[in-house]
């Protein structure tokens, strides 16, 4: 887990990193050096005492390096309106906390936009935790996940009861995918104490098939992120599952972390042993085979031999353009992983070699949410990772080779602005439909009392919205102030999961943000810029039916807009399957191409502008 700021200038959380101490040492070191230099100067003057008396000393002020200023591009005014209650959302997350400060209590909160009944409108699924079995308040009922049906106009009805998802366990994250290619979206939920797979039976009903599918896990496991991917291009969705740390109530008590030496607090992950992620191959008969060991995703610490991963996020994306999905894995306080698909059922870990494992100084960070996109409208992939407080959001950008990355967060305008806040959910999306992907970060701290220890920190923190200034000809991102996006999106919350979808059918992308032990924020995008857009819903035939891993590309003049069909984005969450490409003032793209997961390309003779185009993979 790591850090970043909120509007009030804040400092960090000594839970993992001690930036202030480092800065203090640097300042004290500078003073010592200055004093030593002064002594040398005085000695020289004394030796050369026949010289005339020195003129009055002039002190040169030294400033820290700053990012070169960028032209003040005009950020468009796009208001996000909090419609949570107006839309019918009454869900409240329950982490079961009662004062013992158990680490899972502050890590959950996934959410998914998905169309469970195929009516064309994205529905909502909120993942809940519940009370600990040894501490259930008297008279309290176990809390369950919450399923909401969308009427297509952004109004939601709670349809949890009787859906089969009205079950109680300590949930964390969610992955949506049609694993049996029957045209209905299935649900996989990660949890503390064993994961759960729910098959979509149709008519709003789900059936748990975890054991039948061969996905039963140990009750000692703590899983976090998950992603449906077709890593072997056989047309069936396989499943990647990230696991966090080796945890139990007993281990947590033995760690015994105290934030100020006395007060019990949530422990750092570096005090817990790591884990292995899991990879399950879809056998095509409703069953999965655990191929974690032979696939190469189980990485050990080379010094200790123990599992090295502490995974919170995953971005499935084809890094090298060979038509095979790769995996970028965000790990907390240990190196990030990059699993390069070897096209034979195995992956090779190249995180350090490609520049994504560490920050620019070779340090690990507290990585949470993650997303990947071609936000520059060229062939250079960008990977954003939300890090802990007092650590900047990372923005790794491909360089001269597709697997060679450098962190350009500072020069791209995201780094300094994001530093203080503790970032969880991050994703790229084009909120103003100008044809350039923007970035949103959902933020919130771990400790309710953090301000008593870190004056610069707050428990509740605002989200941050970064506008991509590429359309203004200057490149990089600009932090959007409240007067340009409305105050609702920047209201302080204990942010965790986040996702986007067009909830009301008007073409622009709306946002949901979850928070620990509280209600979510459903933010309706009320932009009035009159920009044009393309929207595609893809259906694979030879490829998996969801077309997960496909790319929709539109050539507009001298640039190519690209968006991947990939619901797995952000932190523990899933965004909608359809992809939206903003066109700005352009009324018609020059060319539209679909690149299917198996590498085949399909040009569209005509694409509907300002409407959804359903595309079926050609035979």
């Amino acid at each position: 887990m790591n850090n970043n700021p909120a509007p009030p200038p804040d400092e960090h959380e000594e839970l993992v990193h001690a930036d202030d101490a480092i800065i203090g040492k640097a300042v004290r070191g500078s003073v010592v050096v200055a004093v030593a230099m002064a002594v040398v100067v005085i000695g020289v003057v004394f030796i050369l005492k026949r010289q005339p008396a020195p003129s009055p000393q002039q002190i040169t002020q030294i400033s820290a390096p700053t990012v070169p200023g960028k032209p003040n591009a005009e950020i468009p005014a796009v208001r996000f309106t909090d419609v949570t209650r107006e839309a019918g959302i009454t869900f409240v997350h329950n982490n079961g906390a009662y004062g013992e400060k158990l680490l899972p209590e502050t890590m959950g909160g996934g959410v998914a936009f998905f169309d469970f009944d195929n009516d064309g409108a994205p529905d909502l699924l909120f993942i809940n935790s519940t009370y600990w079995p040894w501490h259930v308040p008297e008279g309290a009922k176990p809390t369950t996940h919450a399923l909401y049906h969308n009427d297509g106009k952004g109004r939601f009805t709670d349809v949890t009861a009787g859906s089969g998802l009205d079950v109680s366990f300590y949930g964390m994250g969610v992955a949506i995918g049609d694993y049996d290619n029957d045209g209905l979206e299935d649900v996989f939920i990660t949890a503390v104490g064993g994961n759960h797979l729910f098959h979509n039976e149709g008519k709003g009903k789900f059936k748990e098939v975890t054991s039948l599918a061969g996905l039963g896990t140990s009750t000692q496991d703590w899983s976090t992120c998950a992603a449906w991917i077709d890593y072997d291009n056989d047309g069936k969705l396989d499943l990647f599952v990230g696991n966090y740390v080796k945890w139990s109530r007993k281990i947590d008590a033995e760690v015994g972390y105290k934030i100020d030496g006395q007060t019990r607090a949530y422990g750092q992950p570096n005090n817990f042993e790591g884990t292995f992620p899991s990879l399950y191959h879809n056998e095509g008969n409703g069953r999965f085979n655990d191929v974690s060991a032979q696939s190469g995703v189980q990485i050990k610490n080379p010094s200790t031999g123990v599992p090295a991963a502490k995974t919170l996020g995953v971005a499935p994306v084809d890094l090298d353009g060979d038509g095979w999905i790769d995996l970028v894995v965000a790990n907390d306080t240990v190196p990030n992983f990059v699993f390069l698909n070897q096209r034979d059922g195995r992956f090779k870990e190249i995180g350090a070699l490609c520049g994504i494992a560490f920050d620019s100084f070779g340090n690990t960070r507290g990585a949470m949410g993650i997303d990947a996109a071609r936000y520059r409208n060229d062939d250079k992939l960008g990977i954003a990772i939300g890090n802990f407080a007092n650590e900047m959001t990372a923005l790794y950008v491909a360089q001269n080779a597709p697997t060679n990355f450098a962190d350009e967060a500072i020069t791209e305008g995201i780094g300094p602005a994001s530093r203080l806040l503790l970032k969880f959910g991050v994703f790229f999306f084009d909120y103003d439909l100008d044809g350039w992907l923007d970035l949103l970060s959902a933020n919130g701290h771990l400790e309710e009392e953090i301000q008593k220890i870190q004056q610069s920190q707050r428990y509740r923190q605002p989200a941050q919205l970064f506008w991509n200034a590429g359309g203004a000809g200057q490149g990089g991102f600009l932090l959007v102030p409240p007067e340009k996006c409305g105050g609702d999106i920047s209201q302080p919350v204990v942010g965790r999961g986040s996702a986007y979808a067009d909830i009301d059918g008007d073409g622009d992308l709306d946002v949901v943000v979850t928070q620990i032990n509280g209600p979510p924020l459903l933010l309706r995008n009320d932009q009035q810029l009159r920009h044009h857009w393309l929207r595609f819903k893809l259906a694979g035939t030879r490829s998996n039916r969801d077309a997960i891993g496909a790319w929709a590309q539109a050539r507009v003049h001298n640039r190519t807009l690209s968006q991947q069909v990939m619901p797995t984005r952000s932190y523990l969450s899933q965004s909608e399957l359809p992809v939206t490409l903003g066109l700005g003032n352009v009324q018609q793209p020059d060319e539209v191409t679909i690149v299917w997961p198996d590498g085949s390309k399909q040009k569209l003779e005509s694409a509907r502008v300002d409407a959804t185009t359903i595309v079926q993979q050609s035979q």
Side-chain angles (χ1 to χ4, degrees):
M1 295 158 217
N2 273 13
N3 88 311
N4 199 325
D10 279 346
E11 265 283 39
H12 155 257
E13 144 150 354
E14 277 110 70
L15 280 164
V16 179
H17 299 285
D19 290 9
D20 293 340
I22 294 171
I23 294 170
K25 290 179 181 179
V27 171
R28 290 193 293 273
S30 299
V31 171
V32 171
V33 171
V35 171
M37 291 179 65
V39 170
V40 172
V41 171
I42 292 171
V44 171
V45 171
F46 179 77
I47 293 171
L48 303 175
K49 54 181 182 273
R50 288 185 292 256
Q51 297 263 354
S55 58
Q57 184 179 19
Q58 294 184 355
I59 300 175
T60 300
Q61 297 294 329
I62 300 177
S63 301
T66 57
V67 179
K70 293 184 177 181
N72 292 321
E74 183 65 26
I75 299 174
V78 173
R79 181 180 180 83
F80 283 87
T81 305
D82 181 358
V83 295
T84 312
R85 290 203 167 273
E86 174 189 332
I89 304 297
T90 59
F91 171 79
V92 177
H93 180 264
N94 171 32
N95 66 353
Y98 58 95
E100 195 172 344
K101 298 279 188 175
L102 301 175
L103 188 55
E105 293 169 357
T106 195
M107 301 303 294
V111 61
F113 276 120
F114 77 119
D115 185 6
F116 71 79
D117 57 352
N118 285 335
D119 65 355
D123 308 302
L124 266 171
L125 174 63
F126 293 98
I127 304 305
N128 211 349
S129 300
T130 190
Y131 302 106
W132 294 109
W134 55 83
H135 193 280
V136 180
E138 186 176 353
K141 294 182 179 180
T143 50
T144 74
H145 317 291
L147 181 66
Y148 287 88
H149 179 260
N150 185 355
D151 67 357
K153 299 178 181 179
R155 290 282 305 176
F156 291 83
T157 303
D158 189 338
V159 293
T160 310
S163 67
L165 297 174
D166 49 346
V167 290
S168 181
F169 52 84
Y170 210 94
M172 283 279 134
V174 59
I176 303 296
D178 180 7
Y179 72 85
D180 55 355
N181 291 326
D182 67 351
L184 296 170
E185 300 300 322
D186 307 302
V187 176
F188 181 79
I189 301 177
T190 63
V192 176
N195 303 320
H196 301 260
L197 176 64
F198 296 91
H199 181 261
N200 191 335
E201 304 283 294
K203 299 181 180 180
K205 304 296 182 182
F206 293 82
K207 177 182 178 181
E208 178 157 9
V209 293
T210 312
S211 297
L212 182 65
L215 294 176
T217 54
S218 167
T219 56
Q220 303 302 311
D221 288 346
W222 176 1
S223 298
T224 50
C225 63
W228 292 103
I229 57 170
D230 183 5
Y231 74 87
D232 57 352
N233 285 341
D234 66 353
K236 300 183 294 293
L237 289 176
D238 311 300
L239 182 65
F240 175 88
V241 181
N243 298 303
Y244 191 33
V245 295
K246 183 178 180 180
W247 181 89
S248 69
R249 184 187 182 193
K250 180 180 179 181
I251 293 173
D252 210 321
E254 290 173 349
V255 168
Y257 185 73
K258 295 178 173 57
I259 193 170
D260 57 2
Q262 295 181 330
T263 307
R264 169 75 175 164
Y266 294 110
Q268 311 113 306
N270 53 2
N271 289 332
F272 295 83
E273 186 177 309
T275 58
F276 288 135
S278 300
L279 183 63
Y280 299 93
H281 180 260
N282 189 337
E283 299 297 313
N285 53 4
R287 292 190 59 82
F288 292 81
N289 183 32
D290 187 344
V291 295
S292 308
Q294 60 264 42
S295 67
V297 301
Q298 294 186 340
I299 305 300
K300 294 182 179 180
N301 184 308
S303 300
T304 62
V306 301
K310 297 181 181 181
T311 300
L312 289 177
V314 58
V317 62
D318 179 7
L319 291 175
D320 53 2
D322 65 353
W324 297 73
I325 204 80
D326 309 301
L327 298 165
V328 185
V329 176
N331 286 320
D332 192 358
T333 71
V334 296
N336 299 318
F337 295 154
V338 175
F339 292 115
L340 194 66
N341 196 325
Q342 301 299 289
R343 297 179 287 181
D344 60 0
R346 295 179 300 118
F347 291 84
K348 181 180 181 182
E349 205 289 299
I350 60 167
L353 290 174
C354 72
I356 295 177
F358 306 99
D359 68 9
S360 299
F361 301 98
N363 300 313
T364 60
R365 291 186 279 199
M368 275 60 136
I370 183 172
D371 196 12
R374 292 191 172 98
Y375 71 91
R376 290 178 175 172
N377 290 336
D378 58 16
D379 61 352
K380 298 292 191 293
L381 190 71
I383 298 170
I385 300 179
N387 292 314
F388 201 72
N390 290 340
E391 296 174 346
M392 294 180 288
T393 293
L395 184 56
Y396 297 102
V397 181
Q399 303 298 301
N400 56 346
T403 56
N404 180 15
F405 288 81
D407 189 351
E408 299 186 13
I410 293 178
T411 55
E412 289 289 75
I414 289 176
S418 67
R419 178 180 176 270
L420 279 182
L421 298 173
L422 203 166
K423 289 77 63 185
F424 276 89
V426 295
F427 59 72
F428 292 98
F429 74 136
D430 185 3
Y431 77 89
D432 61 341
L433 299 176
D434 67 347
W436 297 84
L437 291 171
D438 313 297
L439 184 74
L440 183 135
S441 169
N443 313 307
H445 216 285
L446 306 180
E447 287 292 342
E448 294 183 64
E449 306 297 324
I450 188 61
Q451 191 177 1
K452 294 180 180 179
I453 308 301
Q454 287 279 322
Q455 288 299 311
S456 63
Q457 288 297 314
R458 301 290 186 275
Y459 180 50
R460 291 176 173 80
Q461 301 180 354
Q464 282 188 315
L465 180 63
F466 291 91
W467 178 65
N468 188 335
Q474 70 178 55
F477 294 84
L478 297 175
L479 179 62
V480 183
E483 60 268 22
K484 290 291 188 178
C485 59
D488 289 352
I489 196 172
S490 57
Q491 58 184 296
V493 296
V494 194
R496 293 296 184 264
S498 60
Y500 64 80
D502 178 10
I503 64 172
D504 47 9
D506 62 356
D508 55 37
L509 299 174
D510 312 292
V511 171
V512 65
V513 174
T514 68
Q515 64 172 327
I516 287 289
N517 229 31
L521 282 180
L522 182 61
L523 299 159
R524 187 183 63 212
N525 187 334
D526 288 330
Q527 62 88 22
Q528 299 291 328
L529 301 173
R530 298 185 178 180
H531 286 162
H532 298 292
W533 45 274
L534 301 168
R535 183 175 172 86
F536 300 102
K537 176 68 170 72
L538 307 185
T541 53
R542 298 188 307 276
S543 299
N544 68 88
R545 183 153 182 165
D546 283 339
I548 287 177
W551 287 83
Q553 300 178 341
R555 185 167 56 81
V556 178
H557 304 320
N558 61 343
R559 52 195 175 93
T560 300
L561 316 182
S562 301
Q563 184 80 306
Q564 186 184 25
V565 179
M566 183 52 66
T568 301
R569 301 177 186 274
S570 183
Y571 176 73
L572 309 182
S573 299
Q574 303 275 289
S575 291
E576 64 177 0
L577 268 174
V579 295
T580 298
L581 301 178
L583 293 176
N585 296 320
V586 175
Q587 296 187 3
Q588 189 73 38
D590 299 320
E591 184 178 83
V592 174
T593 303
I594 306 300
V595 182
W596 295 96
D598 62 5
S600 62
K601 295 182 179 181
Q602 183 174 341
K603 287 187 178 181
L604 302 187
E605 296 302 324
S606 61
R608 301 173 63 195
V609 176
D610 300 337
T612 299
T613 301
I614 298 175
V615 184
Q616 186 168 11
Q617 185 177 15
S618 58
Q619 296 293 332

